[in-house]
Amino acid sequence: MALPNLFRLIYRNIRVNTDPGSLVILVGLPGMYLIFFGFGFGSLASAGGDSRAYLAFLAPGIMSFQVLLAGTVGGSMLWADRRYGMLSQLLSGPFTRFQYLLGIILASVLFGLGGAAVMLVVALGLLGSVPTLPLSLAVMFGTIVLGSLFFGGLMLLLGALVKSNTTYNSIQILVLFVVNFASTVFYPLSNSLPVVLRAMFWVNPLTYVANAVRGGYTGSLTVMDGYELLLLTVEAVVILALATRAYLRSDISFE
Amino acid sequence: MALADPPSSPRPPGGPDPVIFAQDLRHSYDGKRFALNGVSFSVRRGEIFGLLGRNGAGKSTLIKAMTTLIQTTSGTLRILGMDPAREGQKIRNRVGVVQQGESFDFSTVQGNLDIYGVLWGLSKPERVQRREQLLARFGLEDVRKRRAFDLSGGQKRRVQVAREFMHDMDVLFLDEPTVGLDVIMRHTLLDSIRSEAQRGLTVVFTTHNLEEADYLCDRVAVIDEGRILLLDSVENLKRLYGGKKTVDLTVSGADVPEFYRQLGERLGARAAVTVHGKEAVILSDETKSVLSEIAQLSQASGVQLEWLNVRGNTLEDVFLRSVAHPERSNGAA
């Protein structure tokens, strides 16, 4: 029996994005962050002593970073399908525009979940143990789903609005850099930070993802994490609505 | 019929239930200029229907409308008896489309065919069987492991066409499928299309190449500026010009444009002159007088005759005459 349309699209999206080059970016890059930053900055943070404490801090951060990468996969898929003719090809086949969009969003979520799971395994290898309590895992991976939806929506919005290759890549790199480093992925939010930088941390949805995943990882979830997840949910809904609107109004190809 | 406005109420030539039925289709992208401007025609089951026209004539817009990618501004369109505006997905389940532009996944040739098979819901054994058949049929076995984007233009085109045969369909739309193909592969493709049509597949294809339209099509429509100028079988179109001959002429000299201008004036309604630089195609049923005028004028103007040939009509002559503009021709329709 043939798979339903949506599953076929998800299969296709995953298959075309799991070539060796893409996997290096999706898994290799965060893996290297975890290893090099974990040990490098870990020794700095512990003044040359045991770097495991920082590694344990960084591991859930890098898991959270996966939602950003998953989002870029989603946006890039839409942009490339428009640029290289596959969107119009698919839409002249048995798929609706909405199915196509849903296929990308769900593929992004799967990339987020898969990447986070791989990082958890890497952390297990480096630290010797990771949380296995169902509740911890549910919090961590539930947050990853929410984060992937938000950043998937954000990057889809970019993919729907931008036509130029240079512009798309420039904005994507800028977003990746700013969102990643102005969050609690690599370091905790400190009161010693300049006010502007602190404000950037606070409005950055990746901070909410990192805090909640870290809370689930260390079993130290706070009420604040709950509020942040709520805000993240609202933001994800809004950004997905905007992305869907932009996508449905966009040209299906760059001809 | 020929050189006439499209019929106000097109009747399918092969029966009451055409596979494609279009009546008075109009479409404008910007609300000002019409890419389709009152197009009417029908296509019967198993027919190979050619759309001929220059770049920007409206062929691709028509293909997009028929494949449900755009909704026309007005008019009636039915594909397999269904309305694209309301039953787009049902239609798309039963048609295949080879687009004019490139469209590949970032994968190998084999991967592209395989993924397409998955997208169309083929089981793995069926997918593998079709993929292997198509790789062999379109001469792609040697490049099966290469990434589709790295292939030459002709190879890419073959992959795109082969990929579409991964699934079953009732109607196949091909937008300039033979661009970039060598002669052998072009005939392989055309013969494949013909063979599929004999098994009941309806084919609509656009082309610039009139020889292949002549070779393949049951009927052709010449489209220009969003209108169908001619619509008939290739044989009938040629027969329409049956009494006429074509004179191919190439001249050189100081003032070739002036030579052709004077020639057009002298021939008047006796001939249709289409000029391309130093070359001209002259359509007339009074060949002797045309040759006489050419000889006299060349002597008088000092222009040298480089090439002169008289032959029967081809579809290309029909096409040139139908789309010739006043500034480039004299006496053309």
Side-chain angles (χ1 to χ4, degrees):
Chain A
M1 198 181 109
L3 287 169
N5 279 0
L6 183 60
F7 290 106
R8 294 184 218 162
L9 284 168
I10 293 172
Y11 169 85
R12 176 252 174 189
N13 293 340
I14 290 175
R15 183 161 165 183
V16 298
N17 282 288
T18 47
D19 62 292
S22 302
L23 284 177
V24 166
I25 300 293
L26 284 172
V27 181
L29 181 68
M32 285 188 282
Y33 271 154
L34 188 55
I35 293 167
F36 292 119
F37 282 21
F39 287 107
F41 289 137
S43 64
L44 187 69
S46 58
D50 186 9
S51 57
R52 290 158 92 70
Y54 179 66
L55 251 179
F57 174 85
L58 185 61
I62 294 296
M63 285 174 70
S64 309
F65 174 51
Q66 288 293 340
V67 303
L68 195 53
L69 289 180
T72 62
V73 170
S76 299
M77 264 191 279
L78 173 61
W79 188 88
D81 282 347
R82 290 174 74 208
R83 169 67 181 79
Y84 298 109
M86 274 312 287
L87 179 57
S88 54
Q89 187 67 45
L90 291 170
L91 295 183
S92 60
F95 308 103
T96 63
R97 281 190 87 147
F98 192 69
Q99 282 173 342
Y100 172 82
L101 184 70
L102 211 53
I104 285 191
I105 291 170
L106 293 178
S108 298
V109 170
L110 289 175
F111 275 114
L113 287 171
V118 171
M119 289 309 111
L120 195 63
V121 172
V122 174
L124 177 66
L126 296 174
L127 292 163
S129 70
V130 289
T132 51
L133 281 176
L135 185 62
S136 294
L137 293 173
V139 169
M140 286 192 287
F141 286 100
T143 307
I144 295 292
V145 170
L146 265 181
S148 300
L149 287 174
F150 176 84
F151 286 104
L154 183 70
M155 294 303 182
L156 279 174
L157 188 61
L158 184 63
L161 295 177
V162 175
K163 283 189 175 183
S164 151
N165 188 10
T166 314
T167 308
Y168 181 82
N169 284 329
S170 302
I171 296 176
Q172 182 176 269
I173 289 167
L174 186 70
V175 168
L176 265 172
F177 188 85
V178 173
V179 170
N180 199 20
F181 290 106
S183 76
T184 53
V185 163
F186 293 100
Y187 22 71
L189 177 57
S190 162
N191 285 333
S192 63
L193 285 173
V195 177
V196 175
L197 208 53
R198 246 186 298 163
M200 284 175 72
F201 271 63
W202 274 119
V203 298
N204 184 351
L206 191 58
T207 293
Y208 312 154
V209 177
N211 290 348
V213 171
R214 194 165 284 128
Y217 187 93
T218 56
S220 58
L221 273 175
T222 63
V223 176
M224 193 60 192
D225 293 331
Y227 286 133
E228 286 177 357
L229 282 181
L230 194 62
L231 185 57
L232 181 64
T233 308
V234 173
E235 287 178 344
V237 169
V238 171
I239 203 81
L240 282 172
L242 290 174
T244 304
R245 189 164 176 266
Y247 157 75
L248 292 176
R249 289 178 168 205
S250 65
D251 295 330
I252 57 173
S253 70
F254 292 167
E255 283 172 17
Chain B
M1 62 137 309
L3 291 178
D5 288 334
S8 57
S9 184
R11 298 296 302 167
D17 298 317
V19 172
I20 298 168
F21 176 84
Q23 187 168 32
D24 200 23
L25 289 184
R26 289 170 203 276
H27 187 72
S28 174
Y29 290 103
D30 57 7
K32 295 171 191 163
R33 184 185 164 272
F34 280 92
L36 296 178
N37 197 1
V39 169
S40 300
F41 66 96
S42 60
V43 181
R44 65 178 182 267
R45 187 171 303 281
E47 186 175 18
I48 303 177
F49 187 83
L51 285 169
L52 313 182
R54 299 182 291 188
N55 289 331
K59 305 186 300 290
S60 293
T61 301
L62 190 51
I63 292 275
K64 282 179 183 169
M66 289 188 285
T67 55
T68 81
L69 286 178
I70 58 168
Q71 281 187 30
T72 53
T73 311
S74 66
T76 303
L77 180 61
R78 295 288 180 270
I79 310 294
L80 297 159
M82 294 179 277
D83 180 355
R86 289 186 291 111
E87 298 166 286
Q89 197 176 7
K90 281 186 188 170
I91 292 170
R92 292 195 301 272
N93 270 314
R94 294 173 59 186
V95 305
V97 182
V98 177
Q99 300 184 116
Q100 192 179 82
E102 280 180 19
S103 61
F104 296 111
D105 277 321
F106 288 92
S107 184
T108 60
V109 170
Q110 181 173 301
N112 266 277
L113 265 59
D114 208 41
I115 291 168
Y116 212 64
V118 173
L119 288 170
W120 279 91
L122 268 63
S123 66
K124 188 167 184 185
E126 200 176 1
R127 219 161 61 221
V128 171
Q129 188 191 0
R130 285 199 190 197
R131 186 190 72 203
E132 294 307 311
Q133 284 172 350
L134 290 168
L135 287 172
R137 188 156 119 200
F138 286 92
L140 294 165
E141 285 167 310
D142 291 344
V143 295
R144 66 193 299 155
K145 299 282 187 191
R146 286 179 60 190
R147 288 169 70 86
F149 280 107
D150 297 336
L151 300 177
S152 70
Q155 288 170 327
K156 283 180 183 172
R157 208 70 191 129
R158 275 187 272 161
V159 175
Q160 270 182 277
V161 176
R163 184 181 63 183
E164 211 50 47
F165 283 106
M166 283 295 288
H167 66 96
D168 294 324
M169 65 202 106
D170 293 313
V171 190
L172 175 60
F173 296 95
L174 299 139
D175 202 353
E176 310 214 2
T178 54
V179 171
L181 296 186
D182 60 46
V183 176
I184 293 171
M185 198 40 68
R186 195 161 73 220
H187 277 271
T188 302
L189 172 63
L190 297 180
D191 289 340
S192 291
I193 293 169
R194 180 179 275 171
S195 151
E196 294 291 337
Q198 282 166 353
R199 281 185 264 179
L201 178 69
T202 306
V203 179
V204 176
F205 92 123
T206 72
T207 183
H208 284 118
N209 189 323
L210 302 177
E211 276 177 38
E212 66 189 36
D214 201 347
Y215 179 76
L216 189 66
C217 291
D218 298 311
R219 287 189 307 148
V220 295
V222 177
I223 186 166
D224 196 44
E225 295 181 350
R227 293 172 188 272
I228 289 183
L229 304 177
L230 295 171
L231 197 168
D232 213 327
S233 69
V234 173
E235 288 310 309
N236 279 350
L237 289 177
K238 286 184 191 171
R239 204 174 299 131
L240 182 77
Y241 297 91
K244 295 184 171 66
K245 297 271 185 184
T246 296
V247 178
D248 295 315
L249 175 63
T250 305
V251 297
S252 63
D255 198 353
V256 172
E258 177 58 19
F259 169 80
Y260 280 127
R261 192 192 64 74
Q262 285 187 27
L263 183 63
E265 268 181 16
R266 284 191 184 200
L267 292 173
R270 284 179 292 164
V273 184
T274 306
V275 180
H276 298 286
K278 292 181 174 182
E279 297 171 5
V281 177
I282 303 166
L283 196 69
S284 174
D285 52 6
E286 296 175 38
T287 319
K288 280 185 183 174
S289 73
V290 169
L291 294 176
S292 167
E293 292 287 1
I294 291 170
Q296 286 173 24
L297 188 60
S298 66
Q299 279 189 339
S301 63
V303 162
Q304 290 85 46
L305 301 183
E306 299 280 334
W307 171 258
L308 184 66
N309 181 46
V310 181
R311 59 181 167 83
N313 275 312
T314 65
L315 188 58
E316 189 164 326
D317 303 314
V318 176
F319 176 79
L320 282 174
R321 184 169 186 229
S322 66
V323 301
H325 281 199
E327 66 273 19
R328 290 199 290 117
S329 65
N330 174 42

